[in-house]
Amino acid sequence: MNFANIYKNSIEQPQAFWDGEAKLIDWQQPYSKVLDYSKPPFTQWFIGGKTNLCHNAVDRWVATQGDKAALIAISTETGTEKIYSFKKLQAEVSRMAAIMQTLGVGKGDRVLIYMPMIAEAAFAMLACARIGAIHSVVFGGFAAHSLATRIEDAQPKLIVSADAGSRGGKPIPYKPLLDEAITLSAHKPGKVLLVNRNLAPMNLVEGRDVDYAALRAQHLDSQVPVTWLESNEPSYILYTSGTTGKPKGVQRDVGGYAVALASSMRHIFCGNPGETYFATSDIGWVVGHSYIVYGPLIAGMATIMYEGLPTMPDAGIWWSIVEKYRVTRMFSAPTAVRVLKKQPQEFMQKYDLSSLKTLYLAGEPLDETTSAWISDALGVPIIDNYWQTETGWPILSVAKGLEDMPTKLGSPGVPIPGFNVKLFNETTGEECGANEKGVVMIEGPLPPGCMQTVYGDDARYVSTYWSVLNGKHVYSTFDWGIRDAEGYYFILGRTDDVINVAGHRLGTREIEESISSHANVSEVAVVGVEDKLKGQVAVAFVILKNPAAANTAQAQQALEKEIMGVVDRQLGAVARPARVYFIAQLPKTRSGKLLRRSIQAICEGRDPGDMSSIEDPTSLNQIEGALSS
Ligand code: PRX
């Protein structure tokens, strides 16, 4: 069957299609029904089936390739490199699971993981999966306030963390931020399990904080059996930004996720057992969940977990890893490639890259120059793929494992089997034809592996993502897109207030709320502005309560730094605006709605569009004035 037929079959006969794909994983008990879509938009897959993510990622491979590498943890920050075979990984995960059980964690309990890119973070994720606890990994770059919001929402029984991460050889303490976050949060975890890397001093709180190494030593021989879970029980929560200041907990299932990852590893990433996969993302993001930890292991591949910069000790580091571990498939982001493009090319030519078959890029628009440059430099094809935290795996790409379809520069590709992608006109709600811009939507039921709901808030899930168009439930990606006559999609940016900085998804509302907490800030607007390196950067326009505090260039600079510092401390440096400008008035409509898109257009030197509803047109001049000052 060719790709077009497989795709058609997946949409018209989802039960038959996914019943076939479900054979890619182990089931302890078969499911009685493939799909239940009787309460749209809620979707259940493989009802009654029992399985386990950790079993499929680890135990399943112990019998056939127990001594082969499973997890390769490399840190150029601490100069360490550790290889865990499937057998060794199973032993470590079992120890971690035993520790968690001793600390009172059981099925359905939440465990928040706030960790750098070290092997123990993967052990913790897999241990949760093993015992049916629900993990919520929080990106290590987030600071106390962001962390506190997530602790409050997920209400974890246990938090797993470390003394510090490290960046560019400099320790980044985690523990003080965690302590501050727990103080800020109304919910307090019962226990905090700490991995001491001896990178930063750490004070343990009596009765709450426990040391991982000490507990591990007590559980060296522990063997914790897998807890079999019904396919639709939750496996994890991963928070992501949206239009409001409060991040949403994307909740995922067990069986559907395992099947979707196995299916994508075969058809899109074309990975085989025994090969090595290298995704350069972070476990705090969805790519880290799906394609550092679970996906490659479910496919029986070794996976590389890398702590460090792409340019340290020099720009050859990733390629030396590819050579050393014979990496066949690599996954990164366009921003990382743009960073490497600024470095001398000899670093790539120094290494034997003959094992590498394909480089996959995702997370932000892939411009043609970046794509062509890296493809030339590596001598391998580049495959773009478009998806979201919510979907958990690619919506658009080219599935070379199904058919050797061509890629098109500037396009992530075509809908992947299971995703019934459509474009709708924002105002009329009509479906768009070829070459007509619309909102990228997916008609329900969503395929396996996608979000089940917003954690603890079904109503928010439905009202945020779903609408009924032409009598059908459709999920909005909040991305603009266009489809050409051959069915290839092009992604044209977000329809909402989400911005994408170096592939990191951030909500402008969150940044605005943080800036507003500064004593002298009266009003603020944050927009995402095009940036050559990072794709987008956040830029803030602030109205001060006391404008006199910024009446000299020097005072403005000091205040700008102070406001950036507030964002650093509350949300983390990842959310810090690139610039903070001080103005007297923000452009708004007569009904008081902030004209964000117009501000963004002016920042990018574009026409601000239809201004008929603006309350005071001179407010736009203020933005222009601030930018040119
Ligand atoms: O706007 C799209 C952009 O990133 C958003 C999702 O970000 P996140 O939830 O962090 O998930 C990233 C998973 C790879 C999307 O709504 N985006 C993601 N991939 C692409 C993209 N934009 C253009 N091209 C892509 N390949």
Side-chain angles (χ1 to χ4, degrees):
M1 244 201 291
N2 64 8
F3 179 83
N5 285 330
I6 298 169
Y7 178 75
K8 193 164 170 270
N9 178 33
S10 78
I11 301 304
E12 289 173 1
Q13 317 268 342
Q15 277 100 331
F17 177 78
W18 288 108
D19 196 22
E21 296 300 291
K23 296 189 175 48
L24 293 171
I25 68 154
D26 273 2
W27 295 89
Q28 187 258 348
Q29 179 179 297
Y31 42 87
S32 53
K33 205 171 156 194
V34 177
L35 166 68
D36 182 350
Y37 193 50
S38 58
K39 291 190 202 85
F42 296 95
T43 309
Q44 297 214 313
W45 288 100
F46 312 115
I47 299 96
K50 287 199 170 169
T51 186
N52 183 288
L53 278 169
C54 183
H55 166 85
N56 277 288
V58 184
D59 300 44
R60 179 184 180 198
W61 300 104
V62 168
T64 51
Q65 47 179 53
D67 294 321
K68 284 214 171 130
L71 179 68
I72 303 167
I74 303 170
S75 172
T76 48
E77 296 289 338
T78 55
T80 51
E81 209 158 307
K82 290 187 197 151
I83 304 176
Y84 299 89
S85 64
F86 280 94
K87 248 192 228 157
K88 280 196 184 146
L89 181 59
Q90 188 188 40
E92 292 296 350
V93 171
S94 216
R95 288 165 191 154
M96 182 67 92
I99 296 172
M100 286 183 179
Q101 286 179 333
T102 330
L103 298 176
V105 176
K107 185 176 150 182
D109 289 334
R110 272 82 55 218
V111 174
L112 190 138
I113 300 172
Y114 180 59
M115 291 187 97
M117 286 289 287
I118 55 176
E120 288 80 0
F123 302 161
M125 291 168 75
L126 291 161
C128 287
R130 189 169 194 85
I131 61 174
I134 302 167
H135 62 67
S136 177
V137 183
V138 176
F139 175 54
F142 281 140
H145 176 84
S146 305
L147 188 51
T149 323
R150 288 155 174 84
I151 296 174
E152 251 176 29
D153 196 75
Q155 310 223 324
K157 203 166 201 175
L158 171 71
I159 296 183
V160 188
S161 190
D163 57 338
S166 179
R167 201 175 157 75
K170 234 181 78 202
I172 315 272
Y174 277 34
K175 179 66 164 55
L177 301 188
L178 175 61
D179 286 340
E180 190 187 338
I182 297 176
T183 308
L184 287 171
S185 161
H187 171 84
K188 313 288 175 199
K191 295 282 177 200
V192 175
L193 177 64
L194 290 153
V195 176
N196 191 353
R197 311 175 72 198
N198 291 309
L199 290 178
M202 180 162 61
N203 293 324
L204 296 192
V205 175
E206 274 270 344
R208 188 196 75 184
D209 297 355
V210 287
D211 178 59
Y212 169 71
L215 284 171
R216 180 178 173 276
Q218 290 170 22
H219 290 282
L220 283 181
D221 300 321
S222 296
Q223 287 184 359
V224 175
V226 156
T227 300
W228 299 107
L229 300 165
E230 199 277 335
S231 177
N232 293 281
E233 291 189 82
S235 59
Y236 72 72
I237 308 164
L238 179 57
Y239 287 89
T240 192
S241 301
T243 305
T244 67
K246 188 174 179 259
K248 292 180 288 276
V250 169
Q251 180 184 316
R252 229 180 285 292
D253 67 354
V254 176
Y257 188 48
V259 171
L261 291 182
S263 173
S264 65
M265 284 306 297
R266 173 164 293 200
H267 306 317
I268 302 172
F269 300 105
C270 308
N272 298 306
E275 294 179 358
T276 307
Y277 196 88
F278 180 17
T280 69
S281 182
D282 187 284
I283 47 151
W285 306 110
V286 70
V287 177
H289 284 63
S290 294
Y291 298 112
I292 295 177
V293 179
Y294 292 114
L297 293 174
I298 286 176
M301 298 177 83
T303 184
I304 290 175
M305 215 172 151
Y306 174 71
E307 181 188 44
L309 301 175
T311 48
M312 252 187 70
D314 60 48
I317 179 63
W318 283 358
W319 318 114
S320 74
I321 293 174
V322 169
E323 176 184 279
K324 182 166 178 188
Y325 293 101
R326 307 294 296 157
V327 170
T328 58
R329 311 279 159 176
M330 190 163 165
F331 189 129
S332 194
T335 295
V337 174
R338 288 191 289 263
V339 167
L340 292 175
K341 191 164 172 254
K342 293 188 149 183
Q343 304 283 330
Q345 270 207 42
E346 70 218 35
F347 287 113
M348 278 183 188
Q349 283 139 12
K350 244 169 87 177
Y351 297 96
D352 172 10
L353 304 179
S354 58
S355 61
L356 190 65
K357 302 229 169 57
T358 310
L359 173 68
Y360 298 86
L361 295 173
E364 51 180 314
L366 173 61
D367 56 287
E368 301 189 8
T369 329
T370 304
S371 175
W373 175 78
I374 189 75
S375 181
D376 272 359
L378 294 175
V380 300
I382 306 303
I383 296 191
D384 190 359
N385 54 114
Y386 158 85
W387 46 295
Q388 310 182 300
T389 305
E390 288 85 344
T391 64
W393 62 290
I395 305 168
L396 303 172
S397 192
V398 288
K400 293 271 187 186
L402 294 173
E403 187 187 316
D404 190 14
M405 280 169 70
T407 53
K408 272 192 194 185
L409 279 180
S411 162
V414 300
I416 289 299
F419 286 101
N420 192 1
V421 184
K422 298 194 162 164
L423 287 169
F424 285 94
N425 181 296
E426 192 190 29
T427 28
T428 63
E430 293 297 317
E431 225 185 301
C432 302
N435 301 315
E436 266 180 71
K437 179 178 166 180
V439 182
V440 180
M441 299 193 124
I442 307 167
E443 194 176 297
L446 292 179
C450 294
M451 82 187 284
Q452 294 179 295
T453 187
V454 170
Y455 179 67
D457 201 343
D458 284 352
R460 190 172 175 203
Y461 171 61
V462 178
S463 66
T464 305
Y465 294 104
W466 292 89
S467 28
V468 177
L469 292 176
N470 307 328
K472 299 270 175 58
H473 283 84
V474 283
Y475 163 92
S476 177
T477 62
F478 296 101
D479 279 304
W480 295 110
I482 196 161
R483 183 182 60 238
D484 71 11
E486 287 171 302
Y488 282 71
Y489 281 71
F490 295 78
I491 300 296
L492 307 171
R494 297 279 303 195
T495 66
D496 60 4
D497 299 331
V498 165
I499 60 171
N500 196 322
V501 180
H504 300 324
R505 175 167 163 182
L506 301 166
T508 48
R509 281 297 311 152
E510 284 169 79
I511 306 175
E512 285 171 1
E513 281 177 18
S514 175
I515 293 177
S516 298
S517 72
H518 184 282
N520 196 7
V521 171
S522 157
E523 267 190 80
V524 55
V526 171
V527 294
V529 177
E530 205 174 279
D531 180 83
K532 279 207 165 62
L533 185 67
K534 298 183 173 180
Q536 271 188 318
V537 290
V539 170
F541 293 90
V542 165
I543 303 179
L544 292 170
K545 285 180 189 155
N546 170 21
N551 57 6
T552 65
Q554 230 180 4
Q556 276 183 19
Q557 266 176 22
L559 201 53
E560 178 173 22
K561 249 182 110 176
E562 221 177 279
I563 289 175
M564 289 179 177
V566 170
V567 178
D568 278 5
R569 274 193 307 281
Q570 294 187 353
L571 305 181
V574 63
R576 182 199 304 156
R579 286 301 312 267
V580 180
Y581 295 105
F582 302 101
I583 54 171
Q585 202 186 4
L586 285 167
K588 288 185 182 166
T589 63
R590 279 183 286 276
S591 58
K593 198 172 166 293
L594 190 66
L595 288 161
R596 263 180 230 274
R597 283 188 207 174
S598 313
I599 303 177
Q600 185 189 34
I602 293 174
C603 291
E604 293 179 349
R606 291 183 282 113
D607 176 16
D610 175 18
M611 286 292 106
S612 52
S613 65
I614 194 166
E615 191 184 18
D616 179 355
T618 62
S619 56
L620 291 179
N621 304 342
Q622 291 212 16
I623 304 274
E624 279 163 356
L627 291 169
S628 59
S629 67

